[in-house]
Amino acid sequence: MKTWKLVSGVLSIILFFIVALQSCAAGMVNAMEANGGSSGSAGILVGILMLAGGIVSIASRNAIGNGGNIAILILFGLAALIGLAGHGNYSDLVIWSFWCLLNAILAVIAMVKNR
């Protein structure tokens, strides 16, 4: 699981920049159309949680206990929940939400494996 944590952490940090850029564009579209959408804001929250989850994933890859896995589960789980609930006209947010959901599920598997 050490390799998974390192790879998912690095990919999450890289994907943060893509999600942030797309979220700013989606927020701009929402503002220009004045449609009352909040998918850009939801995308920014998902990106920030993805960045935090990636940092925690890298930092806790050699940890013995389950504290890092619990933090990863909470960060990525919350990001997936926010992304799936608030995607609106920003349809790529569903893809990033499933990436976060996959990381949360793998954190649960790591917790069970550590027992």
Side-chain angles (χ1 to χ4, degrees), residues 11-12 14-23 43 46-47 50 76 79-81 83-84 90-103:
L11 283 176
S12 294
I14 292 170
L15 289 176
F16 158 74
F17 294 106
I18 296 169
V19 172
L21 180 67
Q22 288 180 344
S23 297
V46 168
M50 191 185 300
F76 281 120
L81 183 68
L84 289 173
Y90 176 24
S91 59
D92 284 355
L93 193 56
V94 175
I95 297 169
W96 311 129
S97 298
F98 278 117
W99 167 254
C100 293
L101 184 63
L102 175 69
N103 285 326

Side-chain angles (χ1 to χ4, degrees), residues 44-113:
I44 291 292
L45 285 174
V46 168
I48 290 170
L49 289 169
M50 191 185 300
L51 176 66
I55 292 169
V56 170
S57 182
I58 291 172
S60 68
R61 71 181 185 275
N62 293 326
I64 296 171
N66 279 331
N69 290 326
I70 292 171
I72 292 169
L73 173 64
I74 291 170
L75 289 169
F76 281 120
L78 189 59
L81 183 68
I82 291 171
L84 289 173
H87 65 83
N89 66 346
Y90 176 24
S91 59
D92 284 355
L93 193 56
V94 175
I95 297 169
W96 311 129
S97 298
F98 278 117
W99 167 254
C100 293
L101 184 63
L102 175 69
N103 285 326
I105 291 169
L106 288 173
V108 171
I109 292 171
M111 284 176 20
V112 170
K113 192 175 177 182

